[in-house]
Amino acid sequence: KHLFSFPGFGPFRQHLVNSSWEAVKELSKRGLGKTIDLRIMELPVVYQKAKEQVLKIWTTLQPLLTVHVGLASSAKAIIILEQCGKNKGYKEMDACGFHPEGGCCMLDGPEKIESTINMKTLWKNISVEGIDIIFSRDAGRYICDYTYYASLYYGNGRAAFIHVPPLSKSVTADSLGKALQTIILEMLKQCGEERE
């Protein structure tokens, strides 16, 4: 039984410290209980490299669930639970100045892929101190959305994406790590119910 939770992405646009990676490192310190083998990895803000890493995770580790964590740079103290990944519309340049050919993630892939995790149920079931949680069906057509779609594609929907806000006085890496722990434990309950 193992969960593979990754990226904190690396430095992103004007953010030299990416809150998603800081939050994931805090989550790693806290863990998810003795039965879960939690692995973390930082992904580059580069379409092709991030996609290659995602494929590697699914082929080598074959996790029960992959949880992606990314920075929502516009968000105030809000955590966003993303329900699905989209295949097309990737026109924005990455950190290396590239974007995918035809703005597409997978040439033979469906328009969108839904997570097997029901984010709406999750959203109704949890609350986190000092941070609002919202539900979304649009992860933004940048590296986050692209990576999420690739993971949903390779993992047959067994992936989830959580957008976290930038760090601030009220939102610390510690509080985000604690929030991630609460959210992911609830996701694992859903995985458990599916298998029974």
Side-chain angles (χ1 to χ4, degrees), residues 42 60 63 65 74 100 108 110 114 116 118 123 125 127 139 156 165-167 170 173 176 180 182 186:
E42 186 176 22
T60 60
L65 179 69
S74 59
D108 60 343
E114 303 268 340
T116 55
N118 187 323
W123 169 63
N125 286 352
S127 65
N156 296 316
L167 299 178
S170 61
L176 285 179
L180 286 182
T182 303
E186 193 63 36

Side-chain angles (χ1 to χ4, degrees), residues 27 30-33 176-186:
L27 168 67
R30 291 173 175 275
L32 294 165
L176 285 179
K178 192 176 170 186
L180 286 182
Q181 186 187 41
T182 303
I183 293 165
I184 293 168
L185 286 170
E186 193 63 36

Side-chain angles (χ1 to χ4, degrees), residues 48-159:
Q48 195 53 40
K49 282 185 182 162
K51 186 169 154 185
E52 283 163 14
Q53 294 277 32
V54 168
L55 176 59
K56 208 167 169 183
I57 284 160
W58 283 109
T59 50
T60 60
L61 290 160
Q62 298 168 341
L64 167 71
L65 179 69
T66 298
V67 181
H68 302 254
V69 185
L71 167 65
S73 53
S74 59
K76 300 281 184 274
I78 293 171
I79 286 173
I80 309 165
L81 304 174
E82 304 289 354
Q83 184 63 60
C84 53
K86 307 275 185 5
N87 194 17
K88 296 188 176 109
Y90 298 98
K91 296 188 171 64
E92 206 174 331
M93 302 291 185
D94 64 20
C96 292
F98 293 99
H99 66 81
E101 199 181 331
C104 182
C105 183
M106 297 286 176
L107 291 172
D108 60 343
E111 282 294 308
K112 65 172 185 188
I113 306 175
E114 303 268 340
S115 172
T116 55
I117 300 290
N118 187 323
M119 297 295 184
K120 212 166 224 176
T121 304
L122 189 69
W123 169 63
K124 285 175 185 161
N125 286 352
I126 51 171
S127 65
V128 172
E129 209 180 321
I131 307 175
D132 285 332
I133 298 176
I134 62 172
F135 164 82
S136 157
R137 299 190 62 82
D138 187 353
R141 298 300 193 296
Y142 191 46
I143 309 279
C144 287
D145 204 348
Y146 183 86
T147 313
Y148 188 22
Y149 182 90
S151 197
L152 289 163
Y153 181 91
Y154 294 132
N156 296 316
R158 293 194 323 278

